[in-house]
Amino acid sequence: MAEERITFHQVTELLAGSRGIPGKRTFFFLAGDHQRWARVWLEKEQLRALSDGIEELLANLPPATRPTEPGHLSPAEPRSEPFADFRGGRLGLGHNADRDMVVLMVEDGDPEAVRPVNMQFSATRAQVKALADRIVEVCAAGRPVCPLCGTPMDPEGHVCARSNGHHPHETAAQ
């Protein structure tokens, strides 16, 4: 089984987002350059872990050796079709000290893929910091989380296992 390797030496397109309504959303990030781009579908937890990993990596890097420019993300998905559109599996982060670039690696997460994709791209510290911040926004835009059990609450209601199936205000009224 031959794999497809995609490399972006310096991304110009970088974005995180979701599609659908809260509770039924799908999450993705995209990366690309001026010629082509790829979309990687992830679970919400994977996207959150990516943001956490970026923050941890940036916190542990030595100070930048050259001036940093503000990081910005693409305002929207490119209008062209993606070069690759796949479900992400294992993610890896690293730092190329010679270029002072953050490197992100993504392995295809579809075990039945006929031609699995492995993607690697490099971005500036400012670009990945902006990506991590955007991921936090995207994940927070969903359903509110129950303060007792930590599971998402639906608009129709929430039966919390930690309150024995009752909301605190329901037990206080009895």
Side-chain angles (χ1 to χ4, degrees), residues 122-146:
S122 298
T124 66
R125 294 179 189 215
Q127 284 176 309
V128 295
K129 173 62 174 145
L131 178 63
D133 292 345
R134 175 66 182 145
I135 289 170
V136 170
E137 292 172 13
V138 168
C139 291
R143 297 175 290 171
V145 176
C146 174

Side-chain angles (χ1 to χ4, degrees), residues 31-48:
D33 57 24
H34 294 295
Q35 282 99 30
R36 60 192 180 137
W37 64 282
R39 181 174 34 230
V40 181
W41 297 96
L42 298 172
E43 295 295 326
K44 185 176 184 177
E45 294 76 22
Q46 284 177 292
L47 202 58
R48 271 196 202 128

Side-chain angles (χ1 to χ4, degrees), residues 57 92-96 99 101-105 120-123 128:
L57 176 72
L93 282 168
H95 179 248
N96 180 327
R99 297 178 56 217
M101 301 284 276
V102 175
V103 180
L104 176 67
M105 293 134 310
Q120 178 176 315
F121 69 85
S122 298
V128 295

